[in-house]
């Protein structure tokens, strides 16, 4: 890869890191070509972009954007690295978890995740990342909480009206 090609890859990565608030760094080294292709298809179906790049180019792209912001990610840039970019903070974690279950393996390994300006390092963080609530889930929870008292008040008023309509025996 010549210098110009490296620059193109760095620019592409910078645009992806800017476009998405969430990205996962995984190790796909021990997966077969068939497994990697299957993982790519699942990612495509779930609107998650998967890119493989050299660690030094990933690091240069991150450093050129904001060296301090991504400090916790750099130590994870070793071995074979596949990046998963997503609008959803938890979709890549769900993909990795279900892929592992279906394949009956512990691969691919999660090296790190950058979710909403927080860095999660290590494969042991995968379970926690699958439980992160998305923006829409949080909004739904708030709406549910707000509706609950109103529903109780309406139910109580309807019950009272029903009692008043029923003639006493």
């Amino acid at each position: 890869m010549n210098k110009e090609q490296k620059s193109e890859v760095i620019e592409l990565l910078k645009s992806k890191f800017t476009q998405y608030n969430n990205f996962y760094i995984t190790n796909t080294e021990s997966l077969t070509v068939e497994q990697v292709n299957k993982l790519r298809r699942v990612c495509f179906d779930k609107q998650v972009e998967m890119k493989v790049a050299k660690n030094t180019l990933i690091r240069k792209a991150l450093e050129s954007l904001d060296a301090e912001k991504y400090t916790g990610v750099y130590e994870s840039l070793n071995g074979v690295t596949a990046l998963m970019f997503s609008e959803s903070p938890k979709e890549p974690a769900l993909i990795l978890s279900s892929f592992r279950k279906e394949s009956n393996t512990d691969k691919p390994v999660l090296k790190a995740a950058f979710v909403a300006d927080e860095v999660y390092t290590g494969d042991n963080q995968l379970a926690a990342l699958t439980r992160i609530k998305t923006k829409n889930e949080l909004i739904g929870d708030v709406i549910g909480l707000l509706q609950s008292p109103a529903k109780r008040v309406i139910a109580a008023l309807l019950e009272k009206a029903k009692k008043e309509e029923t003639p006493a025996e």
Side-chain angles (χ1 to χ4, degrees), residues 36 52 58 82 105 110 139:
V36 171
V52 176
I58 295 168
T105 181
L110 175 69
I139 290 170

Side-chain angles (χ1 to χ4, degrees), residues 60-75:
K60 285 181 181 182
L62 290 171
E63 286 175 341
S64 68
L65 290 171
D66 189 340
E68 286 184 36
K69 180 178 180 180
Y70 300 108
T71 302
V73 171
Y74 301 139
E75 65 192 41

Side-chain angles (χ1 to χ4, degrees), residues 10-162:
I10 290 170
E11 288 305 312
L12 171 76
L13 290 171
K14 283 170 57 176
S15 72
K16 294 297 174 196
F17 290 127
T18 304
Q19 179 183 353
Y20 294 99
N21 293 326
N22 312 297
F23 64 89
Y24 284 52
I25 301 171
T26 63
N27 182 339
T28 56
E29 187 171 13
S30 60
L31 297 179
T32 65
V33 173
E34 184 181 322
Q35 288 174 316
V36 171
N37 288 338
K38 182 180 176 185
L39 182 61
R40 283 182 184 276
R41 273 192 305 279
V42 172
C43 287
F44 180 80
D45 292 344
K46 303 279 186 173
Q47 286 81 41
V48 173
E49 284 193 51
M50 186 172 156
K51 301 279 183 214
V52 176
K54 292 186 176 201
N55 293 312
T56 52
L57 300 180
I58 295 168
R59 185 179 182 118
K60 285 181 181 182
L62 290 171
E63 286 175 341
S64 68
L65 290 171
D66 189 340
E68 286 184 36
K69 180 178 180 180
Y70 300 108
T71 302
V73 171
Y74 301 139
E75 65 192 41
S76 301
L77 296 174
N78 53 56
V80 176
T81 300
L83 297 166
M84 298 172 84
F85 297 96
S86 176
E87 292 294 332
S88 165
K90 74 177 185 179
E91 194 62 48
L94 295 172
I95 290 170
L96 292 172
S97 294
S98 66
F99 184 85
R100 287 176 171 194
K101 250 182 225 172
E102 289 173 16
S103 303
N104 200 21
T105 181
D106 59 351
K107 306 290 189 255
V109 174
L110 175 69
K111 295 198 265 183
F114 187 84
V115 176
D117 292 335
E118 293 289 325
V119 178
Y120 298 83
T121 19
D123 197 56
N124 59 337
Q125 297 293 314
L126 188 60
L129 289 164
T130 61
R131 292 188 299 270
I132 288 178
K133 295 224 179 201
T134 64
K135 182 180 178 180
N136 288 342
E137 289 171 331
L138 289 172
I139 290 170
D141 287 351
V142 169
I143 290 172
L145 289 171
L146 293 173
Q147 285 179 338
S148 184
K151 284 180 182 176
R152 280 190 232 131
V153 169
I154 292 170
L157 291 172
L158 289 173
E159 188 66 30
K160 184 177 181 194
K162 192 187 246 185

